[in-house]
């Protein structure tokens, strides 16, 4: 009798899962994640049932993306030269036997197979919901964290999003909430800042590439003009070229604060 009851329950469980709505699956997932974390016990079981019932649910795909991304990510503490690494302050500092500061930073590391799985899910979500800007920025953020000093894949994904914005004129949203073109611009500018903050050759070059890509569609946007000026000022130390871009921004907006501030800084440097 007991064996028969177990068999009946085993048959009923898939039926119960199939009767759940996507919102109910999401609620179950959120409760489990709150209790055990993004890849703790029971999370994948919920995602598997959700996927079986609604294989094209983009929220499920994003949750699977998060599952594999967080499961594959670890953090190591490693020494690095300088007081900052990838734009971040050290986790702690020791002095060596000579009394010299040694800086230790949190450095992310990924299991390549699990990271690849995460990307497969977010790529599919983007394909099914190409106007969901949140999914696209999820992809870029993950790639930046994975690539570290050389975020070339992240930049490529962002360039693709920029092209999609101006060529396709999408109705951007995030989780169903409508977004404006200004939201889009601000998001791109935030990633420009993130590239710049890395403080690496690839970070600076991609900062410039993204800014110039935006200027190819919005040539009178002073914010992205300032970005190119900052590239020449901070990375290349070419103050003549930097000045050219800042003055160009000021012709569009005479009160542009970054341009005015950086021109004052350049003037002080030249007077030394």
């Amino acid at each position: 009798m007991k064996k028969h009851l177990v068999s009946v329950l085993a048959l009923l469980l898939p039926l119960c899962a199939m009767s759940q709505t996507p919102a109910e699956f999401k609620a179950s997932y959120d409760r489990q994640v709150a209790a055990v974390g993004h890849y703790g016990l029971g999370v994948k079981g919920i995602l598997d049932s959700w996927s079986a019932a609604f294989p094209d649910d983009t929220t499920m795909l994003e949750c699977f993306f998060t599952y594999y991304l967080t499961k594959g990510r670890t953090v190591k503490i490693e020494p690095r030269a300088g007081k900052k690494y990838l734009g971040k302050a050290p986790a702690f500092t020791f002095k060596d036997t000579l009394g010299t500061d040694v800086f230790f930073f949190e450095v992310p590391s990924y299991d390549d197979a699990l990271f690849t799985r995460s990307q497969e899910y977010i790529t599919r979500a983007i394909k099914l919901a190409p106007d969901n800007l949140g999914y696209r920025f999820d992809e870029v953020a993950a790639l930046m964290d994975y690539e570290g000093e050389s975020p070339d894949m992240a930049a490529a994904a962002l360039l693709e999003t920029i092209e999609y914005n101006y060529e396709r004129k999408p109705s951007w949203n995030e989780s169903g909430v409508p977004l404006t073109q200004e939201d889009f611009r601000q998001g791109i500018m935030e990633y420009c800042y993130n590239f710049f903050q890395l403080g690496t050759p690839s970070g600076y070059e991609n900062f410039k590439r993204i800014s110039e890509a935006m200027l190819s569609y919005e040539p009178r946007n002073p914010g992205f003009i300032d970005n190119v000026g900052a590239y020449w000022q901070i990375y290349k130390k070419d103050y003549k070229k930097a000045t050219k871009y800042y003055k160009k921004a000021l012709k569009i907006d005479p009160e542009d604060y970054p341009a005015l501030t950086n021109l004052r800084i350049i003037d002080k440097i030249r007077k030394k």
Side-chain angles (χ1 to χ4, degrees), residues 33-126:
V33 166
V36 301
H38 283 289
Y39 59 92
L41 184 66
V43 173
K44 189 169 185 296
I46 294 170
L47 291 174
D48 285 338
S49 296
W50 190 355
S51 177
F54 302 97
D56 291 334
D57 187 311
T58 57
T59 301
M60 174 274 296
L61 295 172
E62 184 183 32
C63 292
F64 251 127
F65 157 76
T66 303
Y67 172 84
Y68 283 111
L69 187 71
T70 55
K71 187 174 183 179
R73 186 182 192 271
T74 55
V75 175
K76 299 177 181 179
I77 303 296
E78 298 180 356
R80 291 287 190 274
K83 294 182 179 180
K84 280 195 172 184
Y85 177 66
L86 302 183
K88 297 177 182 178
F92 53 86
T93 305
F94 284 157
K95 289 188 180 295
D96 63 15
T97 55
L98 299 176
T100 304
D101 286 333
V102 181
F103 303 102
F104 288 82
F105 296 85
E106 294 183 349
V107 181
S109 178
Y110 282 91
D111 178 288
D112 287 337
L114 293 175
F115 183 81
T116 298
R117 290 295 303 276
S118 76
Q119 291 301 292
E120 289 170 354
Y121 279 101
I122 200 63
T123 298
R124 191 169 162 216
I126 293 170

Side-chain angles (χ1 to χ4, degrees), residues 166 182 185 189 214-215 218-226 249 252:
Y166 293 100
E182 186 56 34
R185 291 187 196 94
M189 185 61 82
M214 287 295 292
L215 288 171
E218 297 189 14
R220 292 182 58 80
N221 188 310
F224 292 104
I225 295 172
D226 288 337
I252 299 166

Side-chain angles (χ1 to χ4, degrees), residues 211-259:
S211 299
E212 288 180 335
M214 287 295 292
L215 288 171
S216 70
Y217 294 105
E218 297 189 14
R220 292 182 58 80
N221 188 310
F224 292 104
I225 295 172
D226 288 337
N227 282 359
V228 180
Y231 167 87
W232 290 109
Q233 176 189 355
I234 304 300
Y235 180 46
K236 292 297 186 178
K237 308 298 183 187
D238 188 328
Y239 302 122
K240 183 177 180 180
K241 283 189 177 180
T243 297
K244 172 187 170 184
Y245 281 96
Y246 293 138
K247 287 184 175 180
K248 182 178 180 180
L250 288 172
K251 286 182 180 179
I252 299 166
D253 179 5
E255 297 182 0
D256 183 47
Y257 181 79

Side-chain angles (χ1 to χ4, degrees), residues 5 8 46 55-56 72 88 93 106 110 123 144 160-161 170-171 175 180 186 197 208 217 223-224 234 240 272:
L5 180 59
V8 171
I46 294 170
D56 291 334
K88 297 177 182 178
T93 305
E106 294 183 349
Y110 282 91
T123 298
M144 280 198 74
E160 184 179 321
T161 297
S171 299
S175 301
T180 65
Q186 288 179 1
Q197 284 294 103
K208 180 171 174 280
Y217 294 105
F224 292 104
I234 304 300
K240 183 177 180 180
K272 286 183 179 180

